[in-house]
PDB file of all heavy atoms in Angstrom:
ATOM      1  N   ALA A   1       9.420 160.634  66.035  1.00 63.00           N
ATOM      2  CA  ALA A   1      10.104 159.358  65.758  1.00 63.00           C
ATOM      3  C   ALA A   1      10.299 158.529  67.057  1.00 63.00           C
ATOM      4  O   ALA A   1      10.390 157.342  66.911  1.00 63.00           O
ATOM      5  CB  ALA A   1      11.492 159.615  65.165  1.00 63.00           C
ATOM      6  N   HIS A   2      10.171 159.107  68.216  1.00 65.00           N
ATOM      7  CA  HIS A   2      10.303 158.330  69.439  1.00 65.00           C
ATOM      8  C   HIS A   2       9.196 157.333  69.604  1.00 65.00           C
ATOM      9  O   HIS A   2       9.367 156.238  70.206  1.00 65.00           O
ATOM     10  CB  HIS A   2      10.339 159.273  70.676  1.00 65.00           C
ATOM     11  CG  HIS A   2      11.544 160.137  70.752  1.00 65.00           C
ATOM     12  ND1 HIS A   2      12.771 159.706  71.054  1.00 65.00           N
ATOM     13  CD2 HIS A   2      11.668 161.485  70.571  1.00 65.00           C
ATOM     14  CE1 HIS A   2      13.612 160.654  71.042  1.00 65.00           C
ATOM     15  NE2 HIS A   2      12.962 161.776  70.663  1.00 65.00           N
ATOM     16  N   ASP A   3       8.047 157.654  69.052  1.00 68.00           N
ATOM     17  CA  ASP A   3       6.847 156.703  69.240  1.00 68.00           C
ATOM     18  C   ASP A   3       7.088 155.449  68.456  1.00 68.00           C
ATOM     19  O   ASP A   3       6.519 154.380  68.821  1.00 68.00           O
ATOM     20  CB  ASP A   3       5.572 157.453  68.710  1.00 68.00           C
ATOM     21  CG  ASP A   3       5.273 158.683  69.535  1.00 68.00           C
ATOM     22  OD1 ASP A   3       5.687 158.823  70.668  1.00 68.00           O
ATOM     23  OD2 ASP A   3       4.543 159.556  68.965  1.00 68.00           O
ATOM     24  N   LEU A   4       7.797 155.501  67.407  1.00 75.00           N
ATOM     25  CA  LEU A   4       7.974 154.287  66.542  1.00 75.00           C
ATOM     26  C   LEU A   4       9.270 153.511  66.812  1.00 75.00           C
ATOM     27  O   LEU A   4       9.435 152.422  66.267  1.00 75.00           O
ATOM     28  CB  LEU A   4       7.949 154.719  65.066  1.00 75.00           C
ATOM     29  CG  LEU A   4       6.615 155.345  64.629  1.00 75.00           C
ATOM     30  CD1 LEU A   4       6.749 155.749  63.174  1.00 75.00           C
ATOM     31  CD2 LEU A   4       5.496 154.432  64.805  1.00 75.00           C
ATOM     32  N   ARG A   5      10.168 154.087  67.579  1.00 73.00           N
ATOM     33  CA  ARG A   5      11.461 153.373  67.776  1.00 73.00           C
ATOM     34  C   ARG A   5      11.353 152.069  68.449  1.00 73.00           C
ATOM     35  O   ARG A   5      11.904 151.074  67.974  1.00 73.00           O
ATOM     36  CB  ARG A   5      12.373 154.287  68.564  1.00 73.00           C
ATOM     37  CG  ARG A   5      13.014 155.342  67.727  1.00 73.00           C
ATOM     38  CD  ARG A   5      14.187 156.019  68.407  1.00 73.00           C
ATOM     39  NE  ARG A   5      14.603 157.145  67.599  1.00 73.00           N
ATOM     40  CZ  ARG A   5      14.611 158.449  68.050  1.00 73.00           C
ATOM     41  NH1 ARG A   5      14.323 158.631  69.271  1.00 73.00           N
ATOM     42  NH2 ARG A   5      15.021 159.397  67.290  1.00 73.00           N
ATOM     43  N   ARG A   6      10.621 152.013  69.554  1.00 76.00           N
ATOM     44  CA  ARG A   6      10.421 150.753  70.312  1.00 76.00           C
ATOM     45  C   ARG A   6       9.754 149.653  69.414  1.00 76.00           C
ATOM     46  O   ARG A   6      10.223 148.565  69.399  1.00 76.00           O
ATOM     47  CB  ARG A   6       9.739 150.986  71.608  1.00 76.00           C
ATOM     48  CG  ARG A   6      10.650 151.460  72.697  1.00 76.00           C
ATOM     49  CD  ARG A   6      10.049 151.010  74.033  1.00 76.00           C
ATOM     50  NE  ARG A   6      10.868 151.387  75.131  1.00 76.00           N
ATOM     51  CZ  ARG A   6      11.875 150.685  75.531  1.00 76.00           C
ATOM     52  NH1 ARG A   6      12.198 149.600  74.882  1.00 76.00           N
ATOM     53  NH2 ARG A   6      12.623 151.022  76.602  1.00 76.00           N
ATOM     54  N   PRO A   7       8.594 150.020  68.819  1.00 82.00           N
ATOM     55  CA  PRO A   7       7.940 148.960  68.013  1.00 82.00           C
ATOM     56  C   PRO A   7       8.838 148.467  66.848  1.00 82.00           C
ATOM     57  O   PRO A   7       8.841 147.238  66.528  1.00 82.00           O
ATOM     58  CB  PRO A   7       6.681 149.599  67.490  1.00 82.00           C
ATOM     59  CG  PRO A   7       6.395 150.738  68.406  1.00 82.00           C
ATOM     60  CD  PRO A   7       7.703 151.164  68.904  1.00 82.00           C
ATOM     61  N   LYS A   8       9.554 149.364  66.213  1.00 79.00           N
ATOM     62  CA  LYS A   8      10.425 148.994  65.138  1.00 79.00           C
ATOM     63  C   LYS A   8      11.580 148.052  65.651  1.00 79.00           C
ATOM     64  O   LYS A   8      11.897 147.071  65.034  1.00 79.00           O
ATOM     65  CB  LYS A   8      11.078 150.206  64.460  1.00 79.00           C
ATOM     66  CG  LYS A   8      10.186 150.898  63.460  1.00 79.00           C
ATOM     67  CD  LYS A   8      10.660 152.197  62.917  1.00 79.00           C
ATOM     68  CE  LYS A   8      12.083 152.224  62.504  1.00 79.00           C
ATOM     69  NZ  LYS A   8      12.496 153.500  61.979  1.00 79.00           N
ATOM     70  N   ALA A   9      12.080 148.432  66.764  1.00 77.00           N
ATOM     71  CA  ALA A   9      13.174 147.599  67.378  1.00 77.00           C
ATOM     72  C   ALA A   9      12.677 146.241  67.760  1.00 77.00           C
ATOM     73  O   ALA A   9      13.304 145.225  67.600  1.00 77.00           O
ATOM     74  CB  ALA A   9      13.808 148.294  68.530  1.00 77.00           C
ATOM     75  N   LEU A  10      11.446 146.230  68.376  1.00 81.00           N
ATOM     76  CA  LEU A  10      10.878 144.998  68.796  1.00 81.00           C
ATOM     77  C   LEU A  10      10.537 144.077  67.612  1.00 81.00           C
ATOM     78  O   LEU A  10      10.839 142.888  67.606  1.00 81.00           O
ATOM     79  CB  LEU A  10       9.592 145.253  69.590  1.00 81.00           C
ATOM     80  CG  LEU A  10       8.924 144.076  70.192  1.00 81.00           C
ATOM     81  CD1 LEU A  10       9.824 143.361  71.243  1.00 81.00           C
ATOM     82  CD2 LEU A  10       7.634 144.415  70.842  1.00 81.00           C
ATOM     83  N   LEU A  11       9.936 144.635  66.554  1.00 85.00           N
ATOM     84  CA  LEU A  11       9.702 143.880  65.390  1.00 85.00           C
ATOM     85  C   LEU A  11      10.938 143.324  64.692  1.00 85.00           C
ATOM     86  O   LEU A  11      11.002 142.190  64.212  1.00 85.00           O
ATOM     87  CB  LEU A  11       8.876 144.661  64.380  1.00 85.00           C
ATOM     88  CG  LEU A  11       7.394 144.904  64.811  1.00 85.00           C
ATOM     89  CD1 LEU A  11       6.714 145.839  63.808  1.00 85.00           C
ATOM     90  CD2 LEU A  11       6.663 143.567  64.879  1.00 85.00           C
ATOM     91  N   SER A  12      11.983 144.141  64.669  1.00 81.00           N
ATOM     92  CA  SER A  12      13.269 143.712  64.105  1.00 81.00           C
ATOM     93  C   SER A  12      13.817 142.519  64.894  1.00 81.00           C
ATOM     94  O   SER A  12      14.347 141.558  64.413  1.00 81.00           O
ATOM     95  CB  SER A  12      14.265 144.821  64.062  1.00 81.00           C
ATOM     96  OG  SER A  12      13.807 145.860  63.219  1.00 81.00           O
ATOM     97  N   SER A  13      13.747 142.707  66.220  1.00 80.00           N
ATOM     98  CA  SER A  13      14.240 141.569  67.115  1.00 80.00           C
ATOM     99  C   SER A  13      13.456 140.294  66.931  1.00 80.00           C
ATOM    100  O   SER A  13      14.053 139.249  66.817  1.00 80.00           O
ATOM    101  CB  SER A  13      14.171 142.025  68.578  1.00 80.00           C
ATOM    102  OG  SER A  13      14.833 143.217  68.776  1.00 80.00           O
ATOM    103  N   VAL A  14      12.136 140.409  66.817  1.00 84.00           N
ATOM    104  CA  VAL A  14      11.321 139.257  66.601  1.00 84.00           C
ATOM    105  C   VAL A  14      11.632 138.614  65.249  1.00 84.00           C
ATOM    106  O   VAL A  14      11.696 137.422  65.077  1.00 84.00           O
ATOM    107  CB  VAL A  14       9.811 139.582  66.696  1.00 84.00           C
ATOM    108  CG1 VAL A  14       8.898 138.479  66.262  1.00 84.00           C
ATOM    109  CG2 VAL A  14       9.479 139.943  68.139  1.00 84.00           C
ATOM    110  N   ALA A  15      11.850 139.423  64.237  1.00 86.00           N
ATOM    111  CA  ALA A  15      12.185 138.933  62.942  1.00 86.00           C
ATOM    112  C   ALA A  15      13.582 138.125  62.968  1.00 86.00           C
ATOM    113  O   ALA A  15      13.696 137.063  62.385  1.00 86.00           O
ATOM    114  CB  ALA A  15      12.292 140.032  61.890  1.00 86.00           C
ATOM    115  N   ILE A  16      14.518 138.687  63.665  1.00 82.00           N
ATOM    116  CA  ILE A  16      15.788 137.970  63.816  1.00 82.00           C
ATOM    117  C   ILE A  16      15.652 136.632  64.484  1.00 82.00           C
ATOM    118  O   ILE A  16      16.170 135.640  64.080  1.00 82.00           O
ATOM    119  CB  ILE A  16      16.839 138.900  64.580  1.00 82.00           C
ATOM    120  CG1 ILE A  16      17.201 140.106  63.663  1.00 82.00           C
ATOM    121  CG2 ILE A  16      18.073 138.142  64.971  1.00 82.00           C
ATOM    122  CD1 ILE A  16      18.021 141.156  64.424  1.00 82.00           C
ATOM    123  N   MET A  17      14.813 136.635  65.564  1.00 81.00           N
ATOM    124  CA  MET A  17      14.598 135.370  66.300  1.00 81.00           C
ATOM    125  C   MET A  17      13.825 134.369  65.468  1.00 81.00           C
ATOM    126  O   MET A  17      14.153 133.191  65.485  1.00 81.00           O
ATOM    127  CB  MET A  17      13.916 135.628  67.625  1.00 81.00           C
ATOM    128  CG  MET A  17      14.772 136.315  68.620  1.00 81.00           C
ATOM    129  SD  MET A  17      14.045 136.510  70.254  1.00 81.00           S
ATOM    130  CE  MET A  17      12.959 137.852  69.926  1.00 81.00           C
ATOM    131  N   LEU A  18      12.879 134.814  64.693  1.00 86.00           N
ATOM    132  CA  LEU A  18      12.138 133.865  63.798  1.00 86.00           C
ATOM    133  C   LEU A  18      13.017 133.347  62.743  1.00 86.00           C
ATOM    134  O   LEU A  18      12.905 132.169  62.277  1.00 86.00           O
ATOM    135  CB  LEU A  18      10.896 134.606  63.162  1.00 86.00           C
ATOM    136  CG  LEU A  18       9.760 134.849  64.219  1.00 86.00           C
ATOM    137  CD1 LEU A  18       8.663 135.651  63.504  1.00 86.00           C
ATOM    138  CD2 LEU A  18       9.255 133.542  64.789  1.00 86.00           C
ATOM    139  N   ILE A  19      13.940 134.143  62.154  1.00 86.00           N
ATOM    140  CA  ILE A  19      14.926 133.639  61.171  1.00 86.00           C
ATOM    141  C   ILE A  19      15.753 132.593  61.813  1.00 86.00           C
ATOM    142  O   ILE A  19      16.004 131.530  61.220  1.00 86.00           O
ATOM    143  CB  ILE A  19      15.695 134.739  60.579  1.00 86.00           C
ATOM    144  CG1 ILE A  19      14.854 135.676  59.693  1.00 86.00           C
ATOM    145  CG2 ILE A  19      16.927 134.258  59.822  1.00 86.00           C
ATOM    146  CD1 ILE A  19      15.494 136.883  59.256  1.00 86.00           C
ATOM    147  N   ALA A  20      16.224 132.845  63.003  1.00 82.00           N
ATOM    148  CA  ALA A  20      17.092 131.850  63.717  1.00 82.00           C
ATOM    149  C   ALA A  20      16.244 130.544  63.982  1.00 82.00           C
ATOM    150  O   ALA A  20      16.813 129.458  63.780  1.00 82.00           O
ATOM    151  CB  ALA A  20      17.601 132.354  65.006  1.00 82.00           C
ATOM    152  N   LEU A  21      15.052 130.677  64.327  1.00 85.00           N
ATOM    153  CA  LEU A  21      14.172 129.501  64.551  1.00 85.00           C
ATOM    154  C   LEU A  21      13.939 128.734  63.209  1.00 85.00           C
ATOM    155  O   LEU A  21      13.992 127.533  63.188  1.00 85.00           O
ATOM    156  CB  LEU A  21      12.799 129.950  65.110  1.00 85.00           C
ATOM    157  CG  LEU A  21      11.901 128.797  65.431  1.00 85.00           C
ATOM    158  CD1 LEU A  21      12.435 127.901  66.535  1.00 85.00           C
ATOM    159  CD2 LEU A  21      10.514 129.402  65.830  1.00 85.00           C
ATOM    160  N   ALA A  22      13.734 129.481  62.092  1.00 88.00           N
ATOM    161  CA  ALA A  22      13.632 128.818  60.802  1.00 88.00           C
ATOM    162  C   ALA A  22      14.867 128.056  60.404  1.00 88.00           C
ATOM    163  O   ALA A  22      14.843 126.974  59.780  1.00 88.00           O
ATOM    164  CB  ALA A  22      13.273 129.846  59.798  1.00 88.00           C
ATOM    165  N   LEU A  23      16.033 128.588  60.800  1.00 86.00           N
ATOM    166  CA  LEU A  23      17.294 127.884  60.484  1.00 86.00           C
ATOM    167  C   LEU A  23      17.445 126.546  61.182  1.00 86.00           C
ATOM    168  O   LEU A  23      18.067 125.651  60.716  1.00 86.00           O
ATOM    169  CB  LEU A  23      18.464 128.779  60.794  1.00 86.00           C
ATOM    170  CG  LEU A  23      18.752 129.957  59.899  1.00 86.00           C
ATOM    171  CD1 LEU A  23      19.873 130.834  60.483  1.00 86.00           C
ATOM    172  CD2 LEU A  23      19.108 129.506  58.525  1.00 86.00           C
ATOM    173  N   ALA A  24      16.759 126.433  62.276  1.00 86.00           N
ATOM    174  CA  ALA A  24      16.751 125.148  63.082  1.00 86.00           C
ATOM    175  C   ALA A  24      15.906 124.063  62.366  1.00 86.00           C
ATOM    176  O   ALA A  24      16.071 122.852  62.605  1.00 86.00           O
ATOM    177  CB  ALA A  24      16.289 125.331  64.491  1.00 86.00           C
ATOM    178  N   GLY A  25      15.092 124.466  61.382  1.00 86.00           N
ATOM    179  CA  GLY A  25      14.338 123.518  60.554  1.00 86.00           C
ATOM    180  C   GLY A  25      13.257 122.790  61.331  1.00 86.00           C
ATOM    181  O   GLY A  25      13.309 121.610  61.453  1.00 86.00           O
ATOM    182  N   PRO A  26      12.261 123.504  61.841  1.00 86.00           N
ATOM    183  CA  PRO A  26      11.136 122.816  62.533  1.00 86.00           C
ATOM    184  C   PRO A  26      10.461 121.863  61.668  1.00 86.00           C
ATOM    185  O   PRO A  26      10.233 122.119  60.469  1.00 86.00           O
ATOM    186  CB  PRO A  26      10.264 123.977  62.993  1.00 86.00           C
ATOM    187  CG  PRO A  26      10.580 125.106  62.107  1.00 86.00           C
ATOM    188  CD  PRO A  26      12.012 124.946  61.680  1.00 86.00           C
ATOM    189  N   GLN A  27      10.127 120.701  62.236  1.00 85.00           N
ATOM    190  CA  GLN A  27       9.488 119.652  61.477  1.00 85.00           C
ATOM    191  C   GLN A  27       8.294 119.018  62.283  1.00 85.00           C
ATOM    192  O   GLN A  27       8.374 118.980  63.523  1.00 85.00           O
ATOM    193  CB  GLN A  27      10.399 118.504  61.157  1.00 85.00           C
ATOM    194  CG  GLN A  27      11.615 118.944  60.345  1.00 85.00           C
ATOM    195  CD  GLN A  27      12.623 117.816  60.178  1.00 85.00           C
ATOM    196  OE1 GLN A  27      12.580 116.786  60.875  1.00 85.00           O
ATOM    197  NE2 GLN A  27      13.538 117.957  59.232  1.00 85.00           N
ATOM    198  N   TRP A  28       7.301 118.606  61.621  1.00 80.00           N
ATOM    199  CA  TRP A  28       6.206 117.887  62.266  1.00 80.00           C
ATOM    200  C   TRP A  28       5.589 116.890  61.239  1.00 80.00           C
ATOM    201  O   TRP A  28       5.676 117.093  60.082  1.00 80.00           O
ATOM    202  CB  TRP A  28       5.181 118.787  62.815  1.00 80.00           C
ATOM    203  CG  TRP A  28       4.587 119.782  61.876  1.00 80.00           C
ATOM    204  CD1 TRP A  28       3.576 119.606  60.987  1.00 80.00           C
ATOM    205  CD2 TRP A  28       5.076 121.112  61.603  1.00 80.00           C
ATOM    206  NE1 TRP A  28       3.401 120.745  60.211  1.00 80.00           N
ATOM    207  CE2 TRP A  28       4.325 121.648  60.612  1.00 80.00           C
ATOM    208  CE3 TRP A  28       6.097 121.870  62.164  1.00 80.00           C
ATOM    209  CZ2 TRP A  28       4.489 122.929  60.116  1.00 80.00           C
ATOM    210  CZ3 TRP A  28       6.286 123.085  61.712  1.00 80.00           C
ATOM    211  CH2 TRP A  28       5.543 123.616  60.716  1.00 80.00           C
ATOM    212  N   GLY A  29       5.119 115.794  61.733  1.00 76.00           N
ATOM    213  CA  GLY A  29       4.626 114.746  60.915  1.00 76.00           C
ATOM    214  C   GLY A  29       5.739 113.977  60.230  1.00 76.00           C
ATOM    215  O   GLY A  29       6.697 114.516  59.752  1.00 76.00           O
ATOM    216  N   VAL A  30       5.649 112.662  60.232  1.00 72.00           N
ATOM    217  CA  VAL A  30       6.657 111.876  59.591  1.00 72.00           C
ATOM    218  C   VAL A  30       5.985 110.985  58.517  1.00 72.00           C
ATOM    219  O   VAL A  30       4.933 110.366  58.794  1.00 72.00           O
ATOM    220  CB  VAL A  30       7.346 110.942  60.623  1.00 72.00           C
ATOM    221  CG1 VAL A  30       8.349 110.020  59.966  1.00 72.00           C
ATOM    222  CG2 VAL A  30       8.019 111.796  61.721  1.00 72.00           C
TER     223      VAL A  30
END
């Protein structure tokens, strides 16, 4: 299980940051 702990934690962290970024409502083109 040690081999997968870091990638799982990293992917979870990236997912949390992407959700936070999505909440900011990125926009392009008017």
Side-chain angles (χ1 to χ4, degrees):
H2 293 290
D3 299 337
L4 297 177
R5 282 195 187 121
R6 276 206 178 279
K8 280 173 45 178
L10 184 64
L11 287 175
S12 298
S13 302
V14 169
I16 290 170
M17 288 187 282
L18 288 175
I19 289 170
L21 182 65
L23 287 174
Q27 300 176 344
W28 52 89
V30 176

